[in-house]
């Protein structure tokens, strides 16, 4: 099987500091990989490199069998970090999703035959039809994020990159967004790379974890990576992985995010 995403010998330097090097990662169609680790380790920058927006210091990235292009590919979907849109934003929910359908066309985005039906189908798929005609600025964070998912799925991507898509969402909306992403990958065979500070909403769905810390990384199944001995070796300090109420909590890692700690990745 040809990997949907194939990263080989990848290294990343920023400001004279090596964030990580020698990264080999092949993501199969339909596979969900969570990317974990403290802020500043290059998780978001890795997604930007796959999108063709950042240059690797070394190595290569192939998406669907082709080298990454600087102008990107419409076969890659992208869900950004959840940041509330300004309340005065007059754009409707429907308009936000429409940008994913026709935003790549030059000039004024005059609707083409079938565009409205495609937008309606996307709105239905993410459960956003009821608020599709309201200004996005007055919608809740969960409603806005559903629309971003719809926008990202507009071109039926075969690779879906998600950068902290659950930040600031309550548990119900986290589960809803994860459900939308999971349904897309199971129905279409899309490969998913999802950056998160909290793996708990993904437990039971994630296939492998890429954990980056201290310029090193570990790649494997959740039960191989989320262990006290593995993370202690990764951080070079004593780290404990505890189970509490069906949730995993990482304790003792420098700048590690446990199940109850969320903050944005400033990379």
């Amino acid at each position: 099987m040809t990997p949907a995403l194939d990263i080989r010998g990848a290294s990343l330097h920023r400001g004279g500091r090596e964030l990580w090097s020698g990264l080999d990662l092949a993501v199969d169609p339909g596979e969900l990989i969570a990317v974990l680790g403290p802020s500043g380790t290059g998780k978001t920058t890795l997604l930007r490199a796959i999108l063709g927006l950042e240059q690797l210091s070394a190595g290569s990235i192939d998406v669907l069998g082709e080298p990454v292009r600087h102008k990107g590919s419409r076969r890659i979907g992208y869900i950004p970090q959840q940041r509330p849109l300004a309340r005065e934003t007059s754009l409707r929910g429907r308009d936000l999703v429409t940008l994913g359908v026709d935003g790549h066309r030059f000039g004024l985005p005059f609707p083409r035959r079938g565009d409205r039906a495609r937008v309606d189908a996307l709105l239905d798929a993410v459960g956003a039809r009821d608020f599709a005609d309201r200004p996005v600025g007055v919608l809740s964070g969960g409603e806005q994020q559903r629309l971003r998912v719809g926008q990202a799925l507009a071109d039926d991507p075969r690779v879906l990159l998600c950068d902290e898509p659950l930040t600031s969402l309550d548990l119900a909306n986290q589960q809803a967004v994860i459900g939308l992403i999971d349904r897309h990958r199971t129905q279409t065979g899309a490969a998913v790379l999802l950056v998160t500070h909290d793996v708990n909403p993904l437990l039971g769905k994630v296939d492998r974890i890429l954990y980056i810390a201290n310029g090193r990384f570990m790649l494997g199944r959740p039960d191989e990576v989320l262990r006290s001995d593995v993370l202690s070796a990764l951080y070079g300090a004593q780290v404990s992985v505890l189970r509490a109420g069906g949730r995993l909590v990482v304790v003792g890692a420098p700048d590690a995010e446990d199940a109850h700690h969320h903050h944005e990745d400033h990379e």
Side-chain angles (χ1 to χ4, degrees), residues 15-167:
R17 181 171 67 97
E18 181 181 271
L19 296 180
W20 36 260
S21 65
L23 174 62
D24 293 317
L25 173 62
V27 188
D28 290 330
E31 190 174 19
L32 170 57
I33 294 184
V35 184
L36 302 175
S39 296
T41 53
K43 302 187 300 296
T44 291
T45 311
L46 174 61
L47 297 190
R48 288 178 55 82
I50 298 168
L51 289 166
L53 302 175
E54 293 277 349
Q55 186 93 29
L56 289 174
S57 305
S60 64
I61 302 176
D62 286 354
V63 176
L64 302 173
E66 298 180 356
V68 164
R69 297 177 297 179
H70 290 300
K71 61 181 179 180
S73 169
R74 292 191 61 80
R75 295 188 294 175
I76 304 176
Y78 176 63
I79 303 174
Q81 292 186 15
Q82 204 293 109
R83 290 190 175 93
L85 295 166
R87 188 167 182 81
E88 61 271 17
T89 304
S90 59
L91 204 68
R92 298 175 303 166
R94 177 183 301 279
D95 301 328
L96 197 63
V97 175
T98 300
L99 287 174
V101 174
D102 64 18
H104 62 290
R105 299 204 290 269
F106 293 105
L108 294 174
F110 292 111
R112 296 185 304 186
R113 182 175 298 175
D115 279 1
R116 183 177 178 87
R118 176 62 178 152
V119 170
D120 284 343
L122 288 164
L123 290 168
D124 287 338
V126 299
R129 181 69 80 99
D130 288 346
F131 49 85
D133 294 307
R134 298 176 60 196
V136 293
V138 304
L139 300 179
S140 70
E143 290 168 337
Q144 290 180 9
Q145 198 67 337
R146 283 176 181 264
L147 293 167
R148 290 189 181 96
V149 174
Q151 187 183 62
L153 301 184
D155 281 315
D156 201 17
R158 288 300 179 265
V159 173
L160 183 60
L161 306 178
C162 311
D163 188 7
E164 296 284 358
L166 310 179
T167 300

Side-chain angles (χ1 to χ4, degrees), residues 182-193:
D182 189 54
R183 187 169 72 224
H184 175 73
R185 66 125 175 181
T186 54
Q187 290 179 348
T188 68
V192 179
L193 202 62

